[in-house]
Amino acid sequence: MAFVQIRAAREGDCGDILRLIRELAEFEKLSDQVKISEEVLRADGFGENPFYHCFVAEIIPAPGERQGPCIVGYGLYYFIYSTWKGRNIYLEDIYVMPEYRGTTGQELRPRWTQWWSNSIGQGIGSKIIKKVAEVALDQGCSQFRLEVLEWNKKAMDLYKALGAQDVTQAEGWHAFRFEGEAMRKLAGR
């Protein structure tokens, strides 16, 4: 029987990670915003001072199966700092291919189902999130942060079920960003 392994990404996984980034962007209806390349992912994640870290969910086939290992999900994270709380970890992306959502890793045959599964916290996405939480604790982080689009109710329900607090609702925070021309203008370039 095949099973899922959540492991640290390797440089050779960048092609699969990029494929999944594009799938996530399509799901979020933001495909036109993906500008990153496999080469940039390699340089930024696997150099001397990586800008990010990543876990992948890899299907390991049972002995004798002809299909090789297959990456079906990822969680890309990095460290940030809070002047109020100290070390934080930020989960930039969490994505599991739709046909593997809701699977626990014990019965891995692709199926179309909800990704948080009937037993909250047992699916592949939850396993990735739990691995990031382990890293956060091992690195002395006081908070584990992530963002979700306001229409993605399924993801919000999962995060809340796992114990996350909706700070937009509770504290009224809004996310802002500078990019492109606005960033160059701000920097006087």
Side-chain angles (χ1 to χ4, degrees):
M1 176 186 305
F3 69 96
V4 68
Q5 166 182 279
I6 308 300
R7 63 167 174 81
R10 299 186 285 255
E11 189 172 348
D13 297 327
C14 288
D16 285 315
I17 294 167
L18 181 57
R19 170 182 54 85
L20 294 170
I21 288 170
R22 288 181 176 142
E23 285 184 29
L24 173 60
E26 186 174 321
F27 171 76
E28 292 179 336
K29 301 169 185 70
L30 298 168
S31 296
D32 61 316
Q33 294 190 27
V34 177
K35 307 297 183 203
I36 200 146
S37 69
E38 191 174 331
E39 294 74 26
V40 171
L41 282 173
R42 270 195 193 92
D44 289 349
F46 299 93
E48 188 174 319
N49 296 306
F51 275 81
Y52 73 88
H53 306 278
C54 187
F55 285 114
V56 294
E58 182 176 44
I59 303 299
I60 306 296
E65 288 186 7
R66 290 191 287 172
Q67 181 181 345
C70 176
I71 293 176
V72 300
Y74 78 103
L76 191 145
Y77 66 94
Y78 46 87
F79 298 97
I80 59 175
Y81 200 80
S82 165
T83 56
W84 294 356
K85 303 282 185 171
R87 295 177 184 184
N88 283 218
I89 199 166
Y90 185 84
L91 182 60
E92 176 70 22
D93 286 351
I94 173 77
Y95 181 75
V96 176
M97 293 170 59
E99 61 267 36
Y100 292 96
R101 294 176 188 169
T103 61
T104 65
Q106 304 301 315
E107 74 298 330
L108 281 173
R109 296 286 177 253
R111 59 187 173 130
W112 292 89
T113 183
Q114 297 174 345
W115 81 295
W116 69 92
S117 102
N118 290 334
S119 53
I120 297 290
Q122 298 303 312
I124 293 171
S126 295
K127 289 179 180 189
I128 294 169
I129 291 169
K130 288 174 182 181
K131 288 294 261 188
V132 175
E134 289 174 15
V135 171
L137 291 173
D138 290 348
Q139 295 297 315
C141 295
S142 62
Q143 294 180 336
F144 175 166
R145 297 178 179 220
L146 63 131
E147 293 178 2
V148 61
L149 289 167
E150 65 184 351
W151 56 261
N152 194 345
K153 178 112 172 64
K154 290 178 184 178
M156 283 190 251
D157 289 345
L158 172 64
Y159 304 150
K160 288 176 183 177
L162 292 173
Q165 178 186 21
D166 183 344
V167 294
T168 302
Q169 193 175 53
E171 299 176 10
W173 291 99
H174 289 270
F176 287 85
R177 74 174 165 224
F178 296 98
E179 64 181 296
E181 184 58 32
M183 192 166 58
R184 285 187 289 278
K185 185 177 179 183
L186 190 63
R189 294 185 186 177

